[in-house]
């Protein structure tokens, strides 16, 4: 069992209690951005932060996120990952031991297990509950049993009722929590990133385009992410195929995932598009440069509540790279932002002809206003999707009045 790195510490403003059945900081890049980078932003905001979580491979944990957090002064307690019930008990015991010599003013929990650990520990620690998605709908979407979705929904309801503060990633999700759980005081904090390090390097972007064989005046369409069924990769590639008549459009697919044959092999269409499309499997650190070398980022989702309540981190990454965004209507708060900031187009994949018209209009917009889109997208990323932009909210949640 790991312990806090500095036992002389007498107070933590917030202790992040993070537990998932399979996704951990060491193996989930989305948690590294949504938990790790959020914690680092809180430290920069003057907040004393601790982390209680599980690990499988200690060397991997340290190399991916641990050393970075420790160097920033984050105080870490680690539990060897095991079965879910074992993890809950061990983390509850670790929390009890921790609070014998450290005052933990609040806990932060992303998901239902953190609040349960706080309760099992027997410590009366107020917690902030982060509703990061539509849990019941997500469970049904993964084809789990209906009873499991019902149990998770009941546990989430308890977490929301008992939380001192509740946060959500989108206004649609906050409104749903208000409607179903009776909490009208939900704070919206979208899935964010550290925008600064992702600033576009025009020289590097030009070099990447050259290496890809993309002419300077061509429009480069990109998709970055996984091949999960809800990403609507086949529909996106069908749209790309229809754009082949425009000789000044190129395509880039950035994914490390293998095709899921249950939902069809998207690489069949990739091969059909031919040498106008490049597929790359990249290290996470190399992705931003390739995005910055592109012009239009695609982000299509099926129409269901899970996506209407979502805040995909992909959107923040596209904006930070200065991309125009082609997105399905009704993804969280994204649709309104794309329209109001004139940074892309809403693409209807339910009607391929309408969707194709939307995409073609976007291609023309990019050709006529590429630099304007780049500037507006990056500005929106800085003001709304940079973790440091949420510093006032973090201070309000975790610091004593006047402590900032």
């Amino acid at each position: 069992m790991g312990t806090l790195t500095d036992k002389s510490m007498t107070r933590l403003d917030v202790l992040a209690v993070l537990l998932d059945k399979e996704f951990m900081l060491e193996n989930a890049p989305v948690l590294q951005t949504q938990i790790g980078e959020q914690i680092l932003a809180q430290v920069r905001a003057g907040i004393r932060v601790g982390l209680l979580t599980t690990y499988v491979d200690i060397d991997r944990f340290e190399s991916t996120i641990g050393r970075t957090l420790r160097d920033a002064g984050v105080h870490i307690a680690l539990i060897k990952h095991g079965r879910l019930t074992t993890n809950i008990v061990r983390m509850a015991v670790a929390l009890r031991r921790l609070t014998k010599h450290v005052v933990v003013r609040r806990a932060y929990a992303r998901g239902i297990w953190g609040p349960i650990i706080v309760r099992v520990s027997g410590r009366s620690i107020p917690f902030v509950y982060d509703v990061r998605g539509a849990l019941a709908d997500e469970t049904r979407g993964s084809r789990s049993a209906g009873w499991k979705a019902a149990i998770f929904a009941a546990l989430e309801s308890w977490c929301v009722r008992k939380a001192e503060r509740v946060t959500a990633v989108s206004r649609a999700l906050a409104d749903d929590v208000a409607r179903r759980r009776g909490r009208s005081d939900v704070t919206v904090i979208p899935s964010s990133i550290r925008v600064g390090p992702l600033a576009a390097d025009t020289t590097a972007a030009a070099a990447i385009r050259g290496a890809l064989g993309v002419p300077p005046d061509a429009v480069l369409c990109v998709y970055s992410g996984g091949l999960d069924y809800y990403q609507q990769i086949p529909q996106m590639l069908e749209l790309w195929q229809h754009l082949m008549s425009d000789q000044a459009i190129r395509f880039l697919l950035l994914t490390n995932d293998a095709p899921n044959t249950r939902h069809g092999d998207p690489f069949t269409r990739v091969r059909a598009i031919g040498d106008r499309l490049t597929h790359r499997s990249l290290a996470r650190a190399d992705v931003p440069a390739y995005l910055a070398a592109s012009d239009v980022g695609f982000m299509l989702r099926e129409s269901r509540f899970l996506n209407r309540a979502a805040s995909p981190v992909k959107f923040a990454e596209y904006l930070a790279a200065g991309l125009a965004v082609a997105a399905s209507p009704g993804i969280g708060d994204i649709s309104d932002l794309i329209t109001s900031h004139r940074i892309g187009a809403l693409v209807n994949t339910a009607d391929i002809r309408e969707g194709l018209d939307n995409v073609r209009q976007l291609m023309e917009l990019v050709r006529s206003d590429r630099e304007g889109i780049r500037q507006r997208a990056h500005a929106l990323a800085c003001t709304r999707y940079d973790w440091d932009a949420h510093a006032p909210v973090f201070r309000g949640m975790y610091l004593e009045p006047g402590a900032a």
Side-chain angles (χ1 to χ4, degrees):
M1 179 182 299
T3 58
L4 286 180
T5 56
D6 180 2
K7 290 192 176 183
S8 66
M9 172 66 72
T10 59
R11 188 192 79 187
L12 289 174
D13 297 311
V14 57
L15 176 70
V17 182
L18 179 63
L19 174 63
D20 189 271
K21 290 183 65 175
E22 55 184 306
F23 296 114
M24 288 159 282
L25 281 166
E26 67 192 75
N27 68 6
V30 68
L31 291 184
Q32 292 163 26
T33 60
Q34 300 314 293
I35 298 294
E37 291 183 9
Q38 181 180 178
I39 287 174
L40 293 170
Q42 291 168 358
V43 171
R44 291 191 294 272
I47 299 168
R48 300 183 184 188
V49 188
L51 170 66
L52 171 61
T53 191
T54 62
Y55 72 95
V56 170
D57 184 331
I58 189 63
D59 292 333
R60 185 175 182 183
F61 173 84
E62 292 296 336
S63 64
T64 54
I65 193 69
R67 282 195 291 270
T68 300
L69 294 177
R70 294 179 199 279
D71 289 346
V74 177
H75 302 274
I76 301 174
L78 295 174
I79 302 297
K80 181 70 173 179
H81 193 76
R83 298 180 58 154
L84 177 61
T85 53
T86 302
N87 289 337
I88 291 173
V89 172
R90 288 178 175 174
M91 291 179 72
V93 170
L95 182 54
R96 284 186 65 86
R97 291 177 177 173
L98 170 63
T99 53
K100 289 181 179 180
H101 58 86
V102 174
V103 175
V104 177
R105 296 186 59 246
R106 284 178 179 81
Y108 162 88
R110 173 189 169 111
I112 58 178
W113 307 120
I116 291 173
I117 290 165
V118 173
R119 170 59 70 91
V120 172
S121 75
R123 300 303 196 217
S124 299
I125 301 174
F127 65 88
V128 173
Y129 183 64
D130 191 354
V131 184
R132 301 303 290 188
L135 181 60
D137 191 55
E138 184 175 0
T139 304
R140 287 189 291 267
S142 64
R143 295 170 173 77
S144 295
W147 62 265
K148 183 180 292 187
I151 290 175
F152 284 170
L155 288 172
E156 184 174 69
S157 179
W158 176 82
C159 293
V160 170
R161 291 198 315 271
K162 295 298 183 180
E164 178 187 55
R165 298 281 295 270
V166 179
T167 65
V169 295
S170 69
R171 177 46 53 192
L173 184 55
D175 291 344
D176 180 70
V177 171
R179 181 173 59 255
R180 292 189 300 112
R181 311 300 187 202
R183 289 293 297 251
S184 59
D185 58 343
V186 180
T187 301
V188 175
I189 304 176
S191 298
S192 299
I193 59 175
R194 185 84 190 279
V195 173
L198 303 182
D201 182 332
T202 54
T203 302
I208 289 173
R209 287 176 72 97
L212 294 174
V214 178
D217 59 346
V219 176
L220 179 57
C221 299
V222 64
Y223 170 80
S224 174
L227 301 180
D228 302 284
Y229 69 93
Y230 61 83
Q231 300 281 7
Q232 294 200 316
I233 304 301
Q235 292 89 333
M236 180 192 75
L237 292 173
E238 183 178 0
L239 290 170
W240 285 10
Q241 275 189 282
H242 283 291
L243 293 175
M244 290 289 289
S245 58
D246 189 330
Q247 296 297 317
I249 298 179
R250 299 292 188 274
F251 309 96
L252 177 61
L253 185 64
L254 303 177
T255 182
N256 295 326
D257 282 3
N260 185 336
T261 55
R262 184 176 65 180
H263 302 289
D265 180 357
F267 288 127
T268 299
R269 289 191 181 274
V270 168
R271 290 187 286 271
I273 296 174
D275 59 8
R276 297 262 295 278
L277 187 152
T278 302
H279 170 235
R280 288 283 188 274
S281 294
L282 302 174
R284 180 185 167 204
D286 295 330
V287 171
Y290 276 76
L291 293 181
S294 305
D295 299 296
V296 181
F298 276 72
M299 191 176 68
L300 306 180
R301 299 286 183 93
E302 62 181 350
S303 179
R304 61 181 303 167
F305 179 72
L306 174 64
N307 291 322
R308 292 195 300 274
S311 175
V313 70
K314 188 192 315 294
F315 184 61
E317 292 170 347
Y318 284 169
L319 293 183
L323 299 184
V325 180
S328 299
I331 302 178
D333 301 326
I334 288 170
S335 298
D336 290 342
L337 292 171
I338 288 175
T339 302
S340 62
H341 290 263
R342 296 178 293 116
I343 53 173
L346 304 181
V347 179
N348 180 12
T349 55
D351 183 331
I352 195 65
R353 290 185 179 180
E354 180 182 339
L356 185 57
D357 286 342
N358 301 149
V359 173
R360 283 175 171 156
Q361 291 172 19
L362 177 56
M363 298 299 111
E364 294 308 310
L365 176 63
V366 169
R367 288 179 172 124
S368 65
D369 190 26
R370 183 68 192 94
E371 189 55 33
I373 292 173
R374 187 178 299 277
Q375 292 175 4
R376 293 192 297 273
H378 193 263
L380 180 59
C382 291
T383 57
R384 189 180 177 97
Y385 290 96
D386 190 321
W387 281 122
D388 287 337
H390 305 301
V393 176
F394 293 143
R395 293 191 189 102
M397 286 195 294
Y398 298 128
L399 295 180
E400 295 285 354

